[in-house]
Structure formats: structure tokens, C-alpha cells
Amino acid sequence: MNIKIAKNSGFCFGVKRAIKIALDESKNFDKLVTLGPIIHNPQMVQKLAEKGITSIDDIDSASHEPVIIRSHGVTEQTLTRAKKEDIHVIDATCPYVSKAQQYVKSLSKDGYPVIILGNKDHPEVVALRSYVEGEVYVIAGIDELPDKYFHKVGVISQTTQRLKKLQALISALLAQSKEVKVINTICNATSVRQDSTRKLAAESDVMIVIGGKNSSNTKMLASISQELVPTHHIEEADEFDFKWLDGVDNVGLTAGASTPDWIILDVYNKIASYLDEAKDKVRNVEDIPGYKEEKNVYE
Amino acid sequence: MNIKIAKNSGFCFGVKRAIKIALDESKNFDKLVTLGPIIHNPQMVQKLAEKGITSIDDIDSASHEPVIIRSHGVTEQTLTRAKKEDIHVIDATCPYVSKAQQYVKSLSKDGYPVIILGNKDHPEVVALRSYVEGEVYVIAGIDELPDKYFHKVGVISQTTQRLKKLQALISALLAQSKEVKVINTICNATSVRQDSTRKLAAESDVMIVIGGKNSSNTKMLASISQELVPTHHIEEADEFDFKWLDGVDNVGLTAGASTPDWIILDVYNKIASYLDEAKDKVRNVEDIPGYKEEKNVYE
């Protein structure tokens, strides 16, 4: 029997980097706070708490301990406030998000009304929007496109949006604009996870999808996989049932972008040790057969 | 019986303007030349010849008579050459085309590789291209899109392209670019002629489409109309057959963007006088019932 993990699985580059920064910095400080949870995962939140890293809701709740900015980024106003209060800021904003913030600021400075494609309540979008000085519209799709003609307009996207949605927006906008300047700030972490899950499912007899039952990106992976092969969606290794391996030659694993590495490792090691008791435990997701996280294609 | 013409028919704004400039200037000069025919219509060429306006192929064939630049525009090199030779230039370039030339020059100056959507042999595109100083691609559609990633790219279109083609190009380009700056230089003269022909055909019992048998925009109008109602495509009033009016209540007329006004008037007056011998002849296309040429929607 073979076990393989989808080439792109688990944490994306930005989240992985933010958590590493937080853990590294926890060695320098007794107490650290993050502005909002670094990731919506209870096990990870607990692990961070053990290292003295807790989460606060806003900068006003900080009491002069160093503040970590998570991968989504924060508003320009929050940064100004932190500076004014002389709070030590550890910036773990995803570099792709930081770039998007710079782009949106520059579009705005160049006099472009700005359209942001994204979920207006998402922290990344709230932060992005704060970098616009003039006219700005946050829209979830073409249905919310303002009913006006633009002599010039700048467009930017939340990094997790789908390219198809951006393409549809630009097509609609071209019919009501003279000049459209679009910066494609979409990160391919989501789509490569879906693509590599689809690929692995096609060559597996059973798929184990690891991640939060309420994680929308993990549920999407389970749904893609289920269309091709029997699929089990679990949150932790405890839920794994060895009966799932009956009559199976090829086991496929995959994990959502919010699934911590050690949960993936637990599941892999549980299955691997069942197959070969003497086998050493794997300690890094990178060492699971099949794993090969790609860099963003065009960065 | 009613006769009506499609709201948008015949010469577009740019061609109408160029011919007016040529005829007006012919009063000031005994001899004038145009760089290439102002329009591909034999009757119009003859009418201009009577006013002392002939056509030459290139600036080197000019012998110091004033040179008229037709609506398509000319290359920057041609203008430089004319200046050097001290030739008097009468610029009848369509203002929409002039703007496109300025846009393409400015994209190029700002360091954008430029993609021009258009027919590379068309005089308008040859001229447009001459305003680019750096990297430039002239493509007829997405099949010809260069297979490379663009950190930034500027896109512009031949004015007569279809919006759908530009939209498809931008969608494809977004998948292989970081920044796309597109100037929508498409003029709606072609699409409004098609739309208003479709509308009139739907409420007519017979349609008369006037224009060159080899004019592709006129043939398109005939084809659109034919789908809805019996349609006759004629080049001149002589071809009109009164039998076509048998049992008809509503007659619809339309004409391609290259059809001179007097040919449209001849056809209209022929039908109108048949219906009412005493009727005064109409002398302007604008006075034919139904005609209402729109300005470009967004200019």
C-alpha cells in the first residue's frame, strides 16, 4: 500500500511565515500579542498561548507588549496608532498582501478611483481599503459594480479571490470605462491546493482530507475529492478509521490552507506506522511522499 | 406604407468629418491629395476627383500639393517626412484614432510593452503601431498572445474591433500578467449600426440594405437583417425593384458605415416618390424618418 500527500497541502506561504515569525519572536519576549488570531485553529491558538502569544482584538487593548501583525495585514490607521503609542510592532503581513497594499495606495495616489474585489468584512480587505485616499468601492462581484462610467479606474483583488471572478469583473468594467488599470494580486495558493487534490484523487483509491470541518477551503477540497473517489474529511488523527484502508492500494492525503503541519503529520504517521510498525516517524510535512509546495508561479 | 431608416446608418462620425474637411479645403486649393483613398467607394472617389482631390499611395509621391490625412491616420514617420519636405498637411484623422495614437504613445513612454488588438495590415493599426517606441505586439486575437509573463503590459485596440474580443484578450492576459493597463479605444459606430438594424428589421416587413457588395460591415448588416425579415442588399438605387413592396406595410432601410449619403438618399427618394409622387425630395440623410445618429456614448 502507498500513501501520498497532494503536492500542495496545508499552510500557505504567508501563514507559515507568520507563524514562524511569531514563534521565533516568542524566544525574545515573555509576552506577545497578535492583532486578531494568527489562524482560526483551536489547536494552534493553544500552542501559541503556551509560548506566551495571545490574541487581542484591537490596538487599543495592547498594554505595551510587542504586537504581531498577522498575515492579513492591518489598516494604516492601526499602524499610525501603534507608532503614536510607541508600541513595538512585529510585522508578519504576508508579502503578497503588503504588495497589494502598496499597489492600492499607488493607484489611489495616481488619481484612480479604486475597485477592490473581495469580501468587505474580511480583515485583509478592511486593511487594503484603508490604503485608498479617494474614491473606493469594495465589491463581491459584478452585481455590485457601480452603475457609472469611469474615465479611469484601478482594480485590485483580495489575494484569495478566484481569477475567474476578476476576469468577469474586468470584462464588465471594460464596457463602462475608458481606462482600466488592473493589478492581479490574486495568490494561487487556493487554486494550486484544489488542482493538486484533484490530481491525487484521480490516482488514489481513498482520500483523507485533513482540516477544520468549518474551514471553507478544506470543505472545498473534500468536495472536489469526493467527486472522484471515496473521501473522508477528518479534523484530527483520532477520527481516522483503519477500516477505510480495506482493499485499498493507494491512499491519498490532502489538507486545507488552515491546517497545521503537526495534524497532517499525526495522520500520516498513524497510517504509515500501521502499515510498517518499524518505520520512523516523519517530522516534517515536507518529508511526506508527494509533498512539493510550489512558490507562487509568477513571483 | 411607411419607410423608415435604421437610427444609425451610413458614414460614421470620423469618415463624415474627413470628407467634409476634404471638400471644405478643396475650395481653398486647386489640387489636393489624400494619403490613400478617403473611403473605398468608387462613386465617392469620382466625386472627390471632380473637386480636384486625388489619392496617392505614400508621402514620397506628393509633389508639394497639400496632403490630406484620412480618418485612419498615418505613421509618425510620415508626419516627420511631410514636415521635412515642408508639405502642407491637412489632418482629417478621426479624433478617436488620434486619441488612440496619444494613448499608445503614452503607454510606451511609461515603459509598458504594448499589445495592439487589431489587423496588422490595416492602415489604422500600421499608424498606431508607429507611435510605440519599445516592445510591441499586434495581434488579431488571443491565439496570437505572446507566450510569456508580463510584469506590466498596456493594451489598446483598433477602433473597429468588437468589445467581446477585447474582453477575451484581457481575460487571457490577466492569467499571465501582474499589471494590465487597458485603454478601451473601441468606437461603437459598428455595433450601434448592427443594433439599430436589428431593431428596425424586427418591426419591418422588408429590409433594404444599402452599400458595397464587398463591404464587410454592410454584408454583416444584411446578414443580421436576413435572419429576421426578407432582405435585399443593393449598391445603388437602380437595383431597387418595386415588386419588393408588394403586400408590404413597413419598409426598413439601413446602410453600412462606408455608404455615401447620396446613395442612401437616392434609394429613399425613389421609394418615397413611388408612394407619393408629389412629395419633395429629401436632401439630407438626417431628414429621413427614423435617422438619429448618436454620438459615441461615452465621449
Side-chain angles (χ1 to χ4, degrees):
Chain A
M1 195 188 294
N2 295 308
I3 324 176
K4 234 174 127 174
I5 193 164
K7 201 165 90 172
N8 313 97
S9 295
F11 284 168
C12 65
F13 160 74
V15 170
K16 207 177 278 180
R17 177 176 171 276
I19 290 173
K20 186 176 183 310
I21 290 174
L23 293 175
D24 285 353
E25 291 284 347
S26 72
K27 293 170 194 156
N28 305 326
F29 301 95
D30 289 341
K31 204 166 173 259
L32 284 172
V33 293
T34 62
L35 273 180
I38 275 205
I39 191 168
H40 289 108
N41 181 281
Q43 292 91 345
M44 180 54 93
V45 168
Q46 195 181 328
K47 184 171 175 176
L48 292 170
E50 286 162 14
K51 307 270 182 186
I53 306 168
T54 54
S55 162
I56 56 173
D57 286 341
D58 56 67
I59 195 80
D60 293 326
S61 312
S63 46
H64 288 86
E65 59 277 71
V67 165
I68 300 170
I69 295 173
R70 60 181 170 177
S71 57
H72 299 320
V74 291
T75 64
E76 207 170 19
Q77 292 73 24
T78 299
L79 285 182
T80 311
R81 181 116 182 92
K83 204 170 179 182
K84 202 177 152 195
E85 298 288 330
D86 207 24
I87 292 171
H88 179 60
V89 167
I90 297 159
D91 191 358
T93 306
C94 170
Y96 300 132
V97 173
S98 297
K99 268 196 191 165
Q101 292 172 348
Q102 289 159 22
Y103 285 131
V104 91
K105 188 167 185 161
S106 136
L107 282 173
S108 178
K109 278 210 167 153
D110 290 345
Y112 288 87
V114 174
I115 294 177
I116 300 174
L117 176 65
N119 172 349
K120 71 176 173 5
D121 299 321
H122 192 284
E124 179 190 326
V125 175
V126 172
L128 257 186
R129 185 189 179 133
S130 77
Y131 286 85
V132 182
E133 275 155 36
E135 197 177 341
V136 60
Y137 307 87
V138 177
I139 65 173
I142 52 172
D143 294 345
E144 297 175 13
L145 204 52
D147 182 22
K148 61 173 284 190
Y149 181 74
F150 292 97
H151 283 282
K152 58 194 268 188
V153 62
V155 182
I156 209 156
S157 172
Q158 184 179 355
T159 56
T160 50
Q161 290 287 311
R162 291 179 63 200
L163 180 61
K164 275 194 178 170
K165 248 180 142 176
L166 180 63
Q167 289 167 323
L169 169 62
I170 301 304
S171 284
L173 207 46
L174 277 172
Q176 61 182 76
S177 310
K178 183 53 140 193
E179 179 192 333
V180 181
K181 184 168 173 179
V182 47
I183 321 285
N184 182 353
T185 47
I186 293 174
C187 165
N188 62 4
T190 306
S191 65
V192 294
R193 270 156 192 68
Q194 293 175 2
D195 291 346
S196 61
T197 293
R198 194 175 287 114
K199 205 172 163 194
L200 182 61
E203 56 187 55
S204 300
D205 302 312
V206 67
M207 283 287 286
I208 315 298
V209 179
I210 312 159
K213 293 273 166 69
N214 60 355
S215 149
S216 58
N217 74 78
T218 307
K219 281 193 288 184
M220 181 56 81
L221 297 184
S223 145
I224 287 169
S225 173
Q226 187 69 66
E227 281 177 21
L228 296 164
V229 71
T231 297
H232 304 281
H233 177 179
I234 60 176
E235 274 194 352
E236 292 190 87
D238 286 352
E239 295 169 51
F240 185 80
D241 189 335
F242 289 104
K243 277 193 294 190
W244 297 340
L245 303 181
D246 286 353
V248 159
D249 283 328
N250 296 297
V251 185
L253 298 184
T254 188
S258 54
T259 310
D261 283 8
W262 77 83
I263 299 182
I264 304 173
L265 285 167
D266 276 357
V267 174
Y268 173 76
N269 285 325
K270 185 169 181 175
I271 305 173
S273 65
Y274 172 80
L275 300 179
D276 177 1
E277 294 281 341
K279 197 162 186 170
D280 282 340
K281 282 195 175 179
V282 163
R283 301 201 173 274
N284 294 300
V285 169
E286 290 74 8
D287 300 328
I288 300 178
Y291 184 93
K292 196 186 170 206
E293 177 69 10
E294 281 178 312
K295 287 187 66 173
N296 262 312
V297 181
Y298 294 124
E299 289 295 335
Chain B
M1 196 186 293
N2 294 307
I3 323 174
K4 236 173 124 174
I5 192 164
K7 201 164 89 172
N8 314 97
S9 294
F11 284 167
C12 66
F13 160 75
V15 170
K16 207 178 279 181
R17 178 176 169 276
I19 289 172
K20 186 176 184 308
I21 290 174
L23 293 175
D24 285 352
E25 291 283 347
S26 73
K27 293 169 195 158
N28 305 327
F29 301 95
D30 288 342
K31 204 165 172 257
L32 285 171
V33 292
T34 63
L35 272 181
I38 276 206
I39 191 166
H40 289 107
N41 180 281
Q43 291 91 345
M44 180 54 92
V45 168
Q46 195 181 329
K47 184 171 174 176
L48 291 170
E50 287 161 15
K51 307 270 182 184
I53 308 167
T54 54
S55 162
I56 57 173
D57 286 340
D58 57 67
I59 195 78
D60 292 325
S61 313
S63 45
H64 289 87
E65 60 278 69
V67 165
I68 300 170
I69 295 172
R70 60 181 170 177
S71 56
H72 299 321
V74 291
T75 65
E76 206 170 20
Q77 291 73 24
T78 299
L79 286 183
T80 310
R81 180 115 182 94
K83 203 170 180 184
K84 201 177 152 194
E85 298 288 331
D86 207 23
I87 292 171
H88 178 59
V89 167
I90 298 160
D91 190 359
T93 305
C94 170
Y96 300 132
V97 173
S98 297
K99 269 195 191 168
Q101 291 172 348
Q102 289 159 23
Y103 284 129
V104 90
K105 188 166 186 163
S106 137
L107 282 172
S108 177
K109 277 209 168 155
D110 290 345
Y112 289 87
V114 174
I115 294 178
I116 299 173
L117 175 66
N119 172 350
K120 70 176 172 8
D121 299 321
H122 191 285
E124 179 190 325
V125 175
V126 173
L128 257 186
R129 185 189 180 132
S130 76
Y131 285 87
V132 182
E133 274 155 36
E135 197 177 340
V136 61
Y137 307 87
V138 177
I139 64 173
I142 53 172
D143 294 346
E144 296 175 14
L145 203 51
D147 183 20
K148 62 174 283 193
Y149 180 74
F150 291 97
H151 284 281
K152 59 192 269 189
V153 62
V155 182
I156 208 156
S157 172
Q158 184 179 355
T159 57
T160 50
Q161 290 288 309
R162 292 179 63 199
L163 180 60
K164 275 193 179 172
K165 248 179 143 174
L166 180 63
Q167 289 168 324
L169 169 61
I170 300 303
S171 283
L173 207 46
L174 277 172
Q176 62 182 75
S177 310
K178 183 52 139 193
E179 179 193 332
V180 182
K181 184 169 174 178
V182 46
I183 321 283
N184 181 353
T185 46
I186 293 175
C187 166
N188 61 4
T190 307
S191 64
V192 295
R193 271 156 191 67
Q194 292 175 2
D195 291 345
S196 60
T197 293
R198 196 174 286 114
K199 206 173 162 193
L200 182 61
E203 56 187 56
S204 301
D205 303 311
V206 67
M207 283 288 287
I208 314 300
V209 180
I210 312 160
K213 293 274 166 67
N214 60 355
S215 150
S216 58
N217 74 79
T218 307
K219 280 193 287 185
M220 181 55 79
L221 297 184
S223 144
I224 287 169
S225 173
Q226 187 70 65
E227 280 178 22
L228 297 163
V229 70
T231 296
H232 305 281
H233 178 178
I234 60 176
E235 273 193 353
E236 292 190 87
D238 287 352
E239 294 170 50
F240 184 79
D241 189 334
F242 289 104
K243 276 194 294 185
W244 297 340
L245 303 182
D246 285 354
V248 158
D249 284 327
N250 297 296
V251 185
L253 299 184
T254 189
S258 53
T259 310
D261 284 6
W262 78 82
I263 299 183
I264 303 172
L265 285 167
D266 276 357
V267 174
Y268 173 76
N269 285 324
K270 184 169 182 176
I271 304 174
S273 65
Y274 171 80
L275 300 180
D276 177 1
E277 296 280 343
K279 199 163 183 169
D280 281 341
K281 282 196 174 179
V282 163
R283 301 199 173 277
N284 294 299
V285 169
E286 289 75 5
D287 299 328
I288 300 179
Y291 184 92
K292 195 183 169 208
E293 177 69 11
E294 281 179 310
K295 287 187 64 173
N296 262 312
V297 181
Y298 295 123
E299 289 295 336

